[in-house]
Amino acid sequence: MENKTYEYVYGFENDYAVFRTFKGKMGLIDSLGNVVLKPNYAYIENRKELKNIFEAGIIVNKNFKRGFVDLQGKVKIPFDYEDVYYLGNNLVRVSKNNRTGVIDTENKVILPIKYANIMNGNGILFVQNNNSIDLFDSKGKQITNFQAFDIEYFQHKRSIVTLQNKNTFIIDTLGNIVLNSIKNHQFERVLDQDSFLILNTLTKKKGIINSNGQYEIKCKYDEIHPSNSIYVVKNNGKEGIIDQKDTVLKPLIYDNVYGVFSNDSISFKNHYFAYKNNFQGIINPYLEKEIIPISYKYINPFSNYYITTNSENKNGLFSAKGRIIIPQEYDFYSASQNKIFAIKNSKKYLLSVENNNYTETEIFIDEFAKENLAFGGFTKSNYQIFKDKNKFGVYSNKNKIAIPAEYDAVIEIYGTGEFVVKKNNKYGVVNSENKIQLELKYDSFQIIKEVVRFNIKNPKTSKFYSIKYPFEPQ
């Protein structure tokens, strides 16, 4: 806005927000803009998980000190600390003179300020001191006294402890030993409450062992990666898939195997990318035949289909069951929501996919623009930038021109449906209805993560335009 009241407003949580004045002081406002905490602070943080209490910083004798205040400005944790950090579970780590302790949000001491570092994992405090680490509960009661070299965060209520001599064993959240050290072996990962990845330090082979010390899979693989209820394993540079009983589901003949991750997890259940000799395919561990042959340069999940790119850089579409929906005859440009902009034999089309079939609708424009393409040669967007009579516009996958071809350049901002446009050598932003969102008066721009920075040469100024997230074109 013009004539801004504050230099910056941020941290909108629990109906409050932090503001900073033009003098660098910070305070708190409510959702109506009423000042709740006057700008008497050098710093304020408003955290979602902390209601009505706020980390704050002030300058004391030219030193920055931190504490906590409530909505009335009452000091809840004194400004005595060089650093404060909310750990969760109503616990706050506090630091002085390079030593660390823990208090709760009522300023009760949980652990004195005498430790090197403290972290929290679901209410269990990992306390490091003198090159060793032990565990305390959220009340400050000591759980372990191993003086360990390392204790990993708990997974499935289990953790791997590494002693100073590098021996490892498994504990539960009460500090009880679930599985003792095994000579010439090291535990590497907790897979579930009763299953652990283990390394034979002599052979350098890996296996799976349970909490009874029984091997589910002997140490015979170079790598083992859990995937749902099966394992991707590797030996001698080749990968395959086994089940939990070490039965081979797919032989170790692939250069790489990993699961298909997509919004449509149902359609792609038990689907894995498989690579051989720089080509990709899709396999199912429980099916002998490949779903998609290993003969494509790129394969990308699209809605509940797969877009494929062959060695001639032509695109097609497969169903999740491996049926060819669109033959490998097209150059795909933009694709989303079962709509694909494509070219075949120099003709421009909007392809519509439904019920494992597709239809072509020809588009009569000069050419599609192909910029910043990814995902195997196409972009994920509801829109296609086109060129007509040496001017650029935008076509919608609703089969209509969204932005007429009247600009010297058009660049979509991360598939958001907003576009940086250029006219008369000036840049600005329009939306998919060709409505100006930012006046075309800037000399240059850069897309920088979550903002677009627009620049004016003379006088030298910048404007930051926020990118509208989230957006998922599939």
Side-chain angles (χ1 to χ4, degrees):
M1 299 185 302
E2 299 295 332
N3 303 317
K4 291 189 294 185
T5 304
Y6 306 116
E7 182 181 27
Y8 197 63
V9 180
Y10 71 101
F12 291 86
E13 300 291 353
N14 304 319
D15 297 325
Y16 298 102
V18 179
F19 69 85
R20 183 173 68 201
T21 70
F22 289 97
K23 293 183 179 180
K25 292 292 186 178
M26 294 191 182
L28 198 73
I29 56 175
D30 64 18
S31 58
L32 299 177
N34 300 313
V35 175
V36 178
L37 288 178
K38 293 182 179 179
N40 298 325
Y41 306 94
Y43 172 78
I44 294 179
E45 182 175 15
N46 183 18
R47 299 178 70 101
K48 185 177 183 179
E49 61 268 38
L50 277 177
K51 294 185 178 180
N52 304 332
I53 182 173
F54 310 91
E55 180 188 334
I58 61 174
I59 305 298
V60 179
N61 297 326
K62 297 183 179 180
N63 293 314
F64 196 91
K65 297 292 184 180
R66 297 176 186 268
F68 278 76
V69 297
D70 64 14
L71 280 171
Q72 288 72 43
K74 180 181 177 182
V75 175
K76 301 293 290 184
I77 295 175
F79 290 91
D80 292 340
Y81 304 105
E82 296 159 5
D83 187 44
V84 296
Y85 179 79
Y86 183 66
L87 294 170
N89 304 100
N90 291 319
L91 300 175
V92 179
R93 185 180 65 204
V94 293
S95 301
K96 278 185 185 179
N97 301 320
N98 295 320
R99 294 280 97 183
T100 297
V102 174
I103 60 177
D104 65 16
T105 52
E106 297 297 322
N107 199 34
K108 177 185 175 182
V109 174
I110 305 298
L111 292 175
I113 302 176
K114 67 176 187 178
Y115 300 101
N117 190 32
I118 301 172
M119 293 302 292
N120 178 37
N122 295 320
I124 297 176
L125 298 173
F126 291 69
V127 180
Q128 187 171 350
N129 205 35
N130 299 325
N131 299 317
S132 68
I133 187 169
D134 271 300
L135 305 181
F136 292 74
D137 68 15
S138 59
K139 304 294 184 182
K141 179 182 177 182
Q142 189 163 355
I143 298 174
T144 68
N145 191 23
F146 301 129
Q147 298 182 21
F149 175 78
D150 186 38
I151 302 177
E152 294 185 1
Y153 286 119
F154 284 87
Q155 300 283 340
H156 308 288
K157 298 183 179 181
R158 299 289 185 264
S159 174
I160 299 173
V161 177
T162 303
L163 297 178
Q164 300 292 338
N165 62 9
K166 298 303 187 290
N167 285 341
T168 60
F169 54 91
I170 308 294
I171 62 171
D172 63 18
T173 53
L174 297 177
N176 300 313
I177 295 177
V178 174
L179 188 57
N180 278 301
S181 299
I182 299 175
K183 186 178 179 180
N184 299 325
H185 290 75
Q186 284 185 338
F187 296 106
E188 289 208 333
R189 183 177 174 185
V190 175
L191 302 179
D192 59 42
Q193 196 164 338
D194 192 44
S195 189
F196 314 101
L197 181 66
I198 190 169
L199 170 72
N200 184 315
T201 56
L202 298 179
T203 64
K204 305 302 180 186
K205 297 290 186 177
K206 297 179 182 182
I208 309 292
I209 195 170
N210 64 26
S211 55
N212 293 322
Q214 298 170 333
Y215 281 93
E216 297 173 355
I217 297 172
K218 296 196 176 199
C219 295
K220 64 180 190 179
Y221 295 105
D222 295 334
E223 296 290 345
I224 302 177
H225 300 289
S227 178
N228 299 317
S229 59
I230 58 180
Y231 300 106
V232 176
V233 293
K234 185 175 184 177
N235 260 344
N236 302 317
K238 295 296 182 181
E239 297 188 354
I241 300 175
I242 62 173
D243 66 13
Q244 293 181 340
K245 295 182 179 179
D246 200 17
T247 301
V248 175
L249 302 177
K250 288 293 179 182
L252 280 70
I253 59 174
Y254 305 99
D255 299 326
N256 190 222
V257 176
Y258 63 91
V260 174
F261 300 100
S262 170
N263 292 337
D264 193 341
S265 59
I266 297 176
S267 294
F268 301 127
K269 183 180 180 181
N270 295 324
H271 283 209
Y272 288 79
F273 289 105
Y275 292 76
K276 275 186 189 178
N277 302 320
N278 296 319
F279 287 102
Q280 300 181 29
I282 302 294
I283 61 175
N284 183 325
Y286 304 102
L287 299 177
E288 182 177 353
K289 186 178 179 182
E290 296 164 352
I291 296 173
I292 298 179
I294 304 176
S295 58
Y296 293 94
K297 288 177 64 176
Y298 307 106
I299 300 176
N300 293 279
F302 169 70
S303 187
N304 56 341
Y305 303 95
Y306 289 108
I307 289 178
T308 56
T309 306
N310 66 16
S311 56
E312 286 77 39
N313 292 318
K314 294 296 182 181
N315 299 112
L317 193 76
F318 279 79
S319 75
K321 293 183 178 181
R323 175 187 167 189
I324 296 175
I325 307 299
I326 300 176
Q328 305 286 134
E329 300 173 350
Y330 295 86
D331 294 313
F332 287 177
Y333 282 69
S334 296
S336 79
Q337 299 179 347
N338 293 11
K339 303 278 188 173
I340 303 170
F341 290 97
I343 291 179
K344 182 176 73 171
N345 299 326
S346 299
K347 291 184 177 182
K348 275 71 66 178
Y349 296 100
L350 177 62
L351 308 180
S352 300
V353 183
E354 189 174 2
N355 298 325
N356 286 337
N357 288 294
Y358 82 104
T359 57
E360 292 179 337
T361 302
E362 189 170 358
I363 300 174
F364 297 97
I365 56 174
D366 286 353
E367 61 181 284
F368 288 154
K370 201 161 191 173
E371 296 182 84
N372 301 319
L373 298 186
F375 310 111
F378 64 96
T379 57
K380 293 185 177 181
S381 175
N382 293 318
Y383 303 94
Q384 174 61 48
I385 299 169
F386 69 92
K387 188 175 183 181
D388 218 19
K389 298 180 177 61
N390 290 319
K391 294 290 183 180
F392 290 90
V394 176
Y395 209 92
S396 165
N397 65 11
K398 294 180 181 179
N399 195 26
K400 65 179 182 179
I401 292 176
I403 299 175
E406 58 185 38
Y407 296 101
D408 300 320
V410 178
I411 300 95
E412 188 171 9
I413 306 171
Y414 291 146
T416 59
E418 290 195 318
F419 304 84
V420 175
V421 295
K422 180 181 181 183
K423 183 185 282 189
N424 300 325
N425 216 30
K426 297 293 181 181
Y427 293 96
V429 177
V430 300
N431 65 15
S432 58
E433 296 175 351
N434 199 30
K435 293 180 179 178
I436 294 175
Q437 306 298 295
L438 184 66
E439 185 181 354
L440 279 70
K441 65 177 185 180
Y442 298 93
D443 297 312
S444 62
F445 75 95
Q446 301 91 34
I447 298 176
I448 311 170
K449 293 184 178 179
E450 62 277 332
V451 298
V452 184
R453 177 177 179 172
F454 289 87
N455 308 298
I456 294 177
K457 291 180 182 178
N458 190 19
K460 189 175 182 180
T461 57
S462 295
K463 167 74 175 180
F464 290 91
Y465 184 83
S466 296
I467 295 173
K468 292 175 175 57
Y469 287 112
F471 181 81
E472 177 52 59
Q474 282 196 26

